[in-house]
Amino acid sequence: MTKDKGQMTASLTPLGLTALEVCSDESVYAPGHIQPHGILVMLQEPQLTILQISENAEQFFGISAEALLGKPLRRLFSRAQVQRLAGYLTEDNLELGNPFKLKTRRKVAQTDWQRKNQTFRGVMHRMVDGLILELEPQRSIKSTHSIQFYRRLQAAIANLRNATNVTNLAQILAKEVKAMTGFDRVMIYRFEADDSGVVIAQEKQTHLETYLGLHYLAIDVSAPAHKLFYRNRMRFIPDVNYTPVSLIPTNHPLTDAPLDLSNSLLRGVSPCHVEYLQNMGVAGSMTISLLDDKHLWGLIACHHYSPKLVDYETRKACEFLGQFASIELVHQQERELQIYRTQVKTIQDELQQKLLQDANLLEQVFSRNSSQLLDLVHAQGAAILLDGHLILVGQTPSDTQVQQLVTWLVQHNEERVFATDSLSRLYLQAKAFKDRASGILAISILFNHVKQKSYHILWFRSEQIQTVNWAGNPQDAVTINEIGEMHLCPRKSFEVWKETVRETSLPWKVAELEAASEMRNTLMLVVLEFSQTALEQAAEQAAIANRAKSQFLAKMSHELRTPLNAILGFTQLMNRSDAIPSEFQEHLGIVSRSGEHLLTLINDVLEMSKIEAGQLQLTENCFDLHQLIHSIIDMVALKALEKRIDLIAEQHPNVPRYVYGDESKLRQILLNLLTNAIKFTTTGSVTLRLQAFVNSLNSKQRSSSDSKAIITLHLEVEDTGCGIAQSDIENVFEAFMQTEEGRHAKGTGLGLSISRQFARLMGGDITVQSTLSQESTFICEVLLSLVNSVDIIASQTPRAVIGLEAGQPNYRILVVEDFRENRQLLVRLLESVGFEVCAAKNGSEAIALWSEWQPHLILMDIQMPGIDGYETTQQIRDTQAGKDVVIIALTAYAFEEDYTTSIQSGCNDHITKPFLETVLFDKMAHYLGVRYRYREEALSELDRKSLSAKDFQVMPPEWIIQVHQAALDLNDAELYNLIAQIPNQEQVLANALKYLVDNFQLEAIATLTQIHENDCG
């Protein structure tokens, strides 16, 4: 026994109807017929042979459709007219020729109307397998002058620009379209998130009932029609009750498939839509799409209650008005959203500042600032669950209900920010607390390790019971067949049907979702700081937090490197100017060195991230090992001098001068070991010992005449410092782990961990022997290769580029960079040398500039909003001209896979930010063959040697006392005056002292002069 329709549809809601199908794609895109107010001809190029034609051809041309098949278009129109059409076909965009007038060669004497009207207005558009020509007879000799259309549009656009909000804009648009077309009713119809629609503005004849505020089911605009409205912005049906005109033959003769009429102005209407309009009492309609970026925002729906024929020019004017209104809608929405974002950001900043100030008191901060937390996203309640500790604020479900809800979220949701205004639809248990939490916005941070830790913030909105006025009962859209199956059908009634919506909150706005995402970032940073404190309590907790912190810092490195690129870049750019005073150049040098130090710290973090990701690789080259050791000793000598520590280097004669290996990693190992030793030594000495052992070659190596001998470089760094407890010996090599003494010293806690990983990658290891409160010795061994004399390349000091050599092409360089400061830096740097430069701030601008300007080389940023650098590069490469252009990725991402991805996407090369200008210029010279002019450098610069007390003996004791006092007083001006008194023959001393003053090492000067004073006294 089957149920009756009332029983089966009693619980059917507008949402439930979306599960039923309405119109097939084919009935919308390829209905097999056209409307009778025109003729459609499908042509084959290049002869313009008629392959398919509408059946009504005989009515207009006096020749049957069958007789015209296979005939050239000249059968209908004169040779001159056909040649004119062929000329339009040479254009890439056929719209440039549309519309055009055609006059038939034959006159049919059937009616007076046809004797006098043989002029057609035509349009053409291409499809995959042919060319479609559509003709509409010109039914009136009257025509609107173009200046009238211009004035009408100008006035309409001016009115739209004066709109104060989206609703006001929609009402103005409806009024202007009705005035231009004369339709009985013009509505502005906006799509909702569930694809249903609502009428937000309307202009109508006074006797008609209002549709303003009515909601329409999502099925009223089927999915195929929805897609087509986005693709084809105009739909015109002058007479809903038309007699369909078939195509002859029915299918495309070359493909035997129904002809795709997606872009056709005359396209027939699907039967379900015809019945839908008839049931509404509509006899003529016109619909214009309103687009928001890449989405169908809404429609301009025009209804007439008798047939309504609108001329082509008016239709195109309305279509243009719809396009302009779409742009204005986007602008209005952005303005309203920006006001809202500003309000939310004020709260966000205040809350973030308090969280960062009290990172160790996370729960207390949230409890004390509960009102700000709720105001952040306009919620009535919130739940904060921090590693198992729950805090409830405002109107919320119970503790147990919140815990169960969080468990469900973790199991069923992988989004960083989760939001819904109807939780019970997804989580049935939410019905029990719908009055407090019908809507939920949640952020989560999960650390999935041995012991899972999680942090969640959930915001709640209470139920908002509301009445929605639908245009018709959804049950009227359903029919039930003889076996009880439900199917959709066009509704026969559009009387207002009221639906009471329950278990739903106010929807979450875009700005609120953004605020929640920002809060997640803040919580991530605070949690990591909180986890760092917990490291000191348990080794297991330390391992979890270390890995999490490493992952976070790896992501943050991009954000740090990007502004640092601007800092170092503009410093280099300013140093290029001869107009900068010498004292400012010295200050710039200090800024540059400080920036490079910061970059070193960032690189430490990156290296740690690479190590944990298993992505660390060797970068080997030939280098001077003796020079490397000498330069490192020079770098750390000043620190040792400040602490009155003896720095001793003992190098065995068997240590070779020239070797092959990873110079950069060996440099970092030595620097870390020596710097650590000096840091933790207060008296005594730090000694570096080096020795080399030649490894025996295996049989395979001996058989190769060009193989390099392998050596083990054995180095020891011994100090007389505080020593290390035996329980801490292995901990010193763990990331972020420090001894008790180390916690009171500056540093990231990464140096020794990175150094050991480097040593192991180079075939060796680092170990330590130590006696607490006495001494420590770090022993490092790495494998290097001996090199032949032909492998040795003398190092060259980079020369400063000041311009381009004469007689070269005018090189065009396109800079693509979304970060304004970096974009400005590159433009100024390249223009200062003599390149012609254009800049784009995103991928879309870059593609447009590329097509128009055709640059020789593109510097492509990778991370950009919208189309990123990878996709932009691929789109340029897909063009014929884009295959040869040089594209260099310039990005703050520094991992090996980033380089590989850049190359795979089509880039020629990859430069990591921050970059040295010499690297950039060298790359450009390599790919373009550019020749530069260089600044003339001084032949030599006086060495800045490490000072000792004996060096001051060339000066009078009174002068030494004055220097000592000026250093104690931090009086750099007096020190510069005293340095000026040093004789010319002692310029080495003068330069060394000036270097110490420039770099704020006044304590070292005071120490040296005090030692000398004691020695003299």
Side-chain angles (χ1 to χ4, degrees), residues 189-198 215-219 470:
Y189 179 92
R190 184 187 68 208
F191 288 108
E192 302 291 84
D194 60 357
D195 286 336
S196 65
V198 59
H215 288 247
Y216 286 77
L217 303 172
I219 59 168
W470 291 96

mmCIF file of all heavy atoms in Angstrom, residues 189-198 215-219 470:
data_model
loop_
_atom_site.group_PDB
_atom_site.id
_atom_site.type_symbol
_atom_site.label_atom_id
_atom_site.label_comp_id
_atom_site.label_asym_id
_atom_site.label_seq_id
_atom_site.Cartn_x
_atom_site.Cartn_y
_atom_site.Cartn_z
ATOM 1 N N TYR A 189 17.561 39.453 -8.192
ATOM 2 C CA TYR A 189 17.457 38.160 -7.523
ATOM 3 C C TYR A 189 18.851 37.748 -7.081
ATOM 4 O O TYR A 189 19.764 37.653 -7.898
ATOM 5 C CB TYR A 189 16.882 37.193 -8.561
ATOM 6 C CG TYR A 189 16.683 35.757 -8.170
ATOM 7 C CD1 TYR A 189 15.467 35.329 -7.651
ATOM 8 C CD2 TYR A 189 17.682 34.809 -8.375
ATOM 9 C CE1 TYR A 189 15.258 33.993 -7.345
ATOM 10 C CE2 TYR A 189 17.479 33.477 -8.060
ATOM 11 C CZ TYR A 189 16.270 33.070 -7.554
ATOM 12 O OH TYR A 189 16.060 31.747 -7.251
ATOM 13 N N ARG A 190 19.066 37.569 -5.774
ATOM 14 C CA ARG A 190 20.390 37.221 -5.234
ATOM 15 C C ARG A 190 20.406 35.765 -4.778
ATOM 16 O O ARG A 190 19.490 35.302 -4.106
ATOM 17 C CB ARG A 190 20.712 38.107 -4.025
ATOM 18 C CG ARG A 190 22.114 37.887 -3.447
ATOM 19 C CD ARG A 190 22.296 38.664 -2.158
ATOM 20 N NE ARG A 190 21.454 38.132 -1.083
ATOM 21 C CZ ARG A 190 20.986 38.855 -0.077
ATOM 22 N NH1 ARG A 190 21.256 40.145 -0.012
ATOM 23 N NH2 ARG A 190 20.228 38.307 0.863
ATOM 24 N N PHE A 191 21.483 35.038 -5.180
ATOM 25 C CA PHE A 191 21.632 33.647 -4.748
ATOM 26 C C PHE A 191 22.181 33.596 -3.330
ATOM 27 O O PHE A 191 23.101 34.341 -2.978
ATOM 28 C CB PHE A 191 22.566 32.886 -5.688
ATOM 29 C CG PHE A 191 21.950 32.603 -7.032
ATOM 30 C CD1 PHE A 191 22.366 33.285 -8.166
ATOM 31 C CD2 PHE A 191 20.943 31.655 -7.160
ATOM 32 C CE1 PHE A 191 21.806 33.028 -9.398
ATOM 33 C CE2 PHE A 191 20.366 31.395 -8.391
ATOM 34 C CZ PHE A 191 20.796 32.076 -9.515
ATOM 35 N N GLU A 192 21.648 32.674 -2.527
ATOM 36 C CA GLU A 192 22.124 32.448 -1.175
ATOM 37 C C GLU A 192 23.180 31.340 -1.184
ATOM 38 O O GLU A 192 23.455 30.728 -2.216
ATOM 39 C CB GLU A 192 20.954 32.065 -0.253
ATOM 40 C CG GLU A 192 19.851 33.111 -0.198
ATOM 41 C CD GLU A 192 20.267 34.390 0.497
ATOM 42 O OE1 GLU A 192 20.878 35.252 -0.187
ATOM 43 O OE2 GLU A 192 20.011 34.520 1.696
ATOM 44 N N ALA A 193 23.743 31.054 -0.014
ATOM 45 C CA ALA A 193 24.814 30.051 0.079
ATOM 46 C C ALA A 193 24.334 28.669 -0.350
ATOM 47 O O ALA A 193 25.119 27.868 -0.869
ATOM 48 C CB ALA A 193 25.357 30.001 1.509
ATOM 49 N N ASP A 194 23.037 28.350 -0.158
ATOM 50 C CA ASP A 194 22.514 27.031 -0.532
ATOM 51 C C ASP A 194 21.924 27.024 -1.934
ATOM 52 O O ASP A 194 21.220 26.090 -2.318
ATOM 53 C CB ASP A 194 21.451 26.589 0.479
ATOM 54 C CG ASP A 194 20.260 27.558 0.538
ATOM 55 O OD1 ASP A 194 20.295 28.595 -0.160
ATOM 56 O OD2 ASP A 194 19.312 27.280 1.291
ATOM 57 N N ASP A 195 22.229 28.072 -2.720
ATOM 58 C CA ASP A 195 21.780 28.216 -4.114
ATOM 59 C C ASP A 195 20.297 28.552 -4.240
ATOM 60 O O ASP A 195 19.776 28.627 -5.361
ATOM 61 C CB ASP A 195 22.090 26.977 -4.958
ATOM 62 C CG ASP A 195 23.568 26.872 -5.284
ATOM 63 O OD1 ASP A 195 24.248 27.912 -5.276
ATOM 64 O OD2 ASP A 195 24.050 25.756 -5.547
ATOM 65 N N SER A 196 19.580 28.726 -3.136
ATOM 66 C CA SER A 196 18.240 29.287 -3.243
ATOM 67 C C SER A 196 18.402 30.777 -3.546
ATOM 68 O O SER A 196 19.511 31.313 -3.527
ATOM 69 C CB SER A 196 17.469 29.078 -1.934
ATOM 70 O OG SER A 196 18.068 29.817 -0.880
ATOM 71 N N GLY A 197 17.273 31.447 -3.831
ATOM 72 C CA GLY A 197 17.375 32.860 -4.184
ATOM 73 C C GLY A 197 16.377 33.703 -3.430
ATOM 74 O O GLY A 197 15.376 33.201 -2.906
ATOM 75 N N VAL A 198 16.649 34.995 -3.371
ATOM 76 C CA VAL A 198 15.734 35.912 -2.710
ATOM 77 C C VAL A 198 15.666 37.197 -3.529
ATOM 78 O O VAL A 198 16.669 37.657 -4.073
ATOM 79 C CB VAL A 198 16.191 36.200 -1.257
ATOM 80 C CG1 VAL A 198 17.579 36.798 -1.216
ATOM 81 C CG2 VAL A 198 15.199 37.123 -0.542
ATOM 82 N N HIS A 215 11.529 34.231 -1.226
ATOM 83 C CA HIS A 215 12.620 33.291 -1.449
ATOM 84 C C HIS A 215 12.185 32.275 -2.507
ATOM 85 O O HIS A 215 11.032 31.826 -2.504
ATOM 86 C CB HIS A 215 12.982 32.565 -0.154
ATOM 87 C CG HIS A 215 13.681 33.445 0.838
ATOM 88 N ND1 HIS A 215 14.989 33.263 1.208
ATOM 89 C CD2 HIS A 215 13.247 34.518 1.548
ATOM 90 C CE1 HIS A 215 15.334 34.181 2.093
ATOM 91 N NE2 HIS A 215 14.285 34.965 2.319
ATOM 92 N N TYR A 216 13.108 31.907 -3.381
ATOM 93 C CA TYR A 216 12.837 30.933 -4.424
ATOM 94 C C TYR A 216 13.730 29.710 -4.204
ATOM 95 O O TYR A 216 14.881 29.824 -3.794
ATOM 96 C CB TYR A 216 13.096 31.526 -5.809
ATOM 97 C CG TYR A 216 12.021 32.493 -6.240
ATOM 98 C CD1 TYR A 216 11.967 33.790 -5.727
ATOM 99 C CD2 TYR A 216 11.041 32.104 -7.145
ATOM 100 C CE1 TYR A 216 10.971 34.670 -6.101
ATOM 101 C CE2 TYR A 216 10.039 32.985 -7.533
ATOM 102 C CZ TYR A 216 10.009 34.268 -6.998
ATOM 103 O OH TYR A 216 9.017 35.137 -7.383
ATOM 104 N N LEU A 217 13.176 28.554 -4.486
ATOM 105 C CA LEU A 217 13.900 27.304 -4.262
ATOM 106 C C LEU A 217 15.140 27.220 -5.150
ATOM 107 O O LEU A 217 15.173 27.772 -6.251
ATOM 108 C CB LEU A 217 12.993 26.112 -4.548
ATOM 109 C CG LEU A 217 11.683 26.036 -3.741
ATOM 110 C CD1 LEU A 217 10.807 24.925 -4.283
ATOM 111 C CD2 LEU A 217 11.977 25.825 -2.275
ATOM 112 N N ALA A 218 16.132 26.490 -4.678
ATOM 113 C CA ALA A 218 17.354 26.292 -5.476
ATOM 114 C C ALA A 218 17.028 25.592 -6.782
ATOM 115 O O ALA A 218 17.680 25.828 -7.808
ATOM 116 C CB ALA A 218 18.384 25.497 -4.678
ATOM 117 N N ILE A 219 15.989 24.746 -6.779
ATOM 118 C CA ILE A 219 15.635 24.007 -7.998
ATOM 119 C C ILE A 219 15.017 24.909 -9.058
ATOM 120 O O ILE A 219 14.886 24.509 -10.216
ATOM 121 C CB ILE A 219 14.665 22.851 -7.672
ATOM 122 C CG1 ILE A 219 13.391 23.425 -7.019
ATOM 123 C CG2 ILE A 219 15.332 21.817 -6.777
ATOM 124 C CD1 ILE A 219 12.260 22.430 -6.915
ATOM 125 N N TRP A 470 8.486 31.811 1.102
ATOM 126 C CA TRP A 470 8.868 31.168 -0.157
ATOM 127 C C TRP A 470 7.819 31.453 -1.227
ATOM 128 O O TRP A 470 6.628 31.593 -0.933
ATOM 129 C CB TRP A 470 8.974 29.653 0.029
ATOM 130 C CG TRP A 470 10.124 29.238 0.892
ATOM 131 C CD1 TRP A 470 10.105 28.967 2.226
ATOM 132 C CD2 TRP A 470 11.470 29.065 0.468
ATOM 133 N NE1 TRP A 470 11.348 28.637 2.664
ATOM 134 C CE2 TRP A 470 12.222 28.675 1.611
ATOM 135 C CE3 TRP A 470 12.138 29.185 -0.753
ATOM 136 C CZ2 TRP A 470 13.575 28.420 1.563
ATOM 137 C CZ3 TRP A 470 13.490 28.919 -0.811
ATOM 138 C CH2 TRP A 470 14.210 28.545 0.330
#
